[in-house]
Amino acid sequence: MESIAQESPGIFQPPEVAPLCRREALGAVSPAMRVRLDQLLDLSKRGLPQMHRHGSFAHTVRAVKIIDGMEVRPEGDSLRYAINVALGLSCLDVEEQRAILSGRTALDLVNGTVARAETSEDPGAIALAAWTAAEAADIYAGTLISRLTALLRSGQPIATVDCAWTLLAAVGARNLGDTAELTRLARDRLLQAQAESGLFPHRLPASSLGRLRAHIGCFADQVYAIQGLSRLFVAENDRAALGAAEACAARICELQGDAGQWWWHYDIRDGSVVEGYPVYSVHQHAMGPMALLDLREAGGSDYMDAMIKGLSWLDRHPEVSETMVDETHNVIWRKVARRESKKAVRAISAATTALRRGLRAPGLDTMFPPNQIDYECRPYELGWMLYGWLGGGAVEQLRNRPAVGAS
């Protein structure tokens, strides 16, 4: 991946002007979208309390028909989502945190999730908890860092998202404890797996997915890799890392849909879209902006126009006429998907493109139209929106926080 970095001249200087208030940066380009974003952020603050239960968060709230209309009901429990929300809530003032958490604070939520993560077998939750502990609470979660280091040392396959979160945890905690080895292991795993197209596979190594899936990467794989590698550049002046982030961001922005859709599955070999649906609301309002804003603040390219297009899809989506933003129930519906069973189109498209790049079975859009709304909303979606747009400053802080042991 050194070659990609070298092909990206002029991107390695910190921006002369990088407003820490991301909403102000958005408003400078589109005042109307700044107003709309503030409305969505307020909705998130109103929506999260109904997902909070006993110091943790539900897996989802789902629309349920009742006699006089509809209500949303919480289901399940999710450690990952509670951690996501903790990071988002850490960007609010304490009184807002207490209003959402029934008197508790984001720090209380962080402490609780770190304790749960210490007994978890989910590498993603472990990495998220270590990242959030460092960034939101200045806590070095040594047990979690050690477990992640052992996992990456072992060489066993790891999900790309989990590896990117591990890199974010290592970079975020570098001023609190020794994360040098973990940083190197996570960084190398990502860079070694990046394809010439700039895109990342779904697992590392890609071959661990088997012949029919090794060429596939999803949107989440791209955005968290962009975010982690952008921060690594700021922390350690790793030009290969920023070059890799730039290459990936350029490709996903080039592939963005006409209505601002961030598509779901890519062919990493040639950087094409394998299957666009579902289109997830969280990609549009949170995950896409979160990664691209980190890249911008690291000194990389400015993709604010792409972020605005993505946000616009929430209100102007060609797939369905119904609203995606439900102000009555304080949720943003999860996704627009195809009318299909058992993810049929994704399976077909993965198989045909495995046989030949760009090969697509005819008639899929007709047989399986993308006209279905998933009437649920998950806590991390609202937590990530708060963090993505209110978390400006985390990148800049890395410039002034030397690693433990650094001279």
Side-chain angles (χ1 to χ4, degrees), residues 34-244:
R34 160 68 191 270
V35 171
R36 183 55 172 148
L37 174 65
D38 285 346
Q39 294 169 345
L40 296 174
L41 292 170
D42 286 341
L43 178 146
S44 291
K45 297 173 189 178
R46 299 194 305 271
L48 282 169
Q50 66 192 334
M51 304 175 180
H52 177 242
R53 300 194 297 184
H54 312 299
S56 188
F57 277 82
H59 178 76
T60 192
V61 294
R62 195 181 306 276
V64 177
K65 290 183 178 179
I66 57 177
I67 293 175
D68 56 351
M70 181 188 74
E71 66 180 17
V72 293
R73 294 178 185 170
E75 298 178 0
D77 173 78
S78 174
L79 173 57
R80 281 196 183 197
Y81 296 169
I83 302 167
N84 296 142
V85 172
L87 193 51
L89 294 185
S90 71
C91 301
L92 304 180
D93 64 50
V94 172
E95 290 310 309
E96 288 181 305
Q97 295 172 22
R98 292 189 186 280
I100 292 168
L101 296 174
S102 303
R104 298 180 174 91
T105 67
L107 179 59
D108 295 327
L109 188 56
V110 170
N111 286 327
T113 54
V114 167
R116 290 179 62 187
E118 289 179 348
T119 61
S120 174
E121 297 303 317
D122 175 6
I126 295 169
L128 278 172
W131 169 21
T132 299
E135 185 168 328
D138 281 334
I139 294 172
Y140 181 73
T143 299
L144 305 184
I145 295 293
S146 296
R147 292 184 65 189
L148 293 168
T149 304
L151 172 63
L152 291 190
R153 274 183 194 154
S154 73
Q156 64 182 279
I158 185 173
T160 301
V161 167
D162 294 352
C163 188
W165 286 342
T166 296
L167 180 58
L168 284 158
V171 171
R174 66 195 294 273
N175 67 306
L176 302 171
D178 184 3
T179 64
E181 182 184 7
L182 184 58
T183 300
R184 176 182 57 79
L185 290 169
R187 176 244 193 224
D188 289 351
R189 281 284 194 104
L190 287 169
L191 293 191
Q192 289 165 8
Q194 188 177 25
E196 288 299 318
S197 67
L199 301 181
F200 294 87
H202 192 54
R203 285 185 70 80
L204 312 175
S207 58
S208 65
L209 285 170
R211 186 175 64 87
L212 295 182
R213 293 277 299 171
H215 64 296
I216 301 295
C218 74
F219 184 74
D221 302 322
Q222 316 315 316
V223 295
Y224 293 120
I226 291 169
Q227 187 177 23
L229 291 167
S230 296
R231 293 192 179 193
L232 177 59
F233 166 70
V234 173
E236 299 190 358
N237 196 32
D238 187 329
R239 296 194 172 198
L242 187 59

Side-chain angles (χ1 to χ4, degrees), residues 13-36:
Q13 296 301 318
E16 293 182 5
V17 178
L20 296 186
C21 179
R22 294 175 167 189
R23 291 174 296 155
E24 289 180 3
L26 174 66
V29 179
S30 174
M33 189 54 71
R34 160 68 191 270
V35 171
R36 183 55 172 148

Side-chain angles (χ1 to χ4, degrees), residues 5 8-14 233 239 242-243 246 298-301:
S8 305
I11 63 174
F12 302 115
Q13 296 301 318
F233 166 70
R239 296 194 172 198
L242 187 59
E246 280 277 5
S301 297

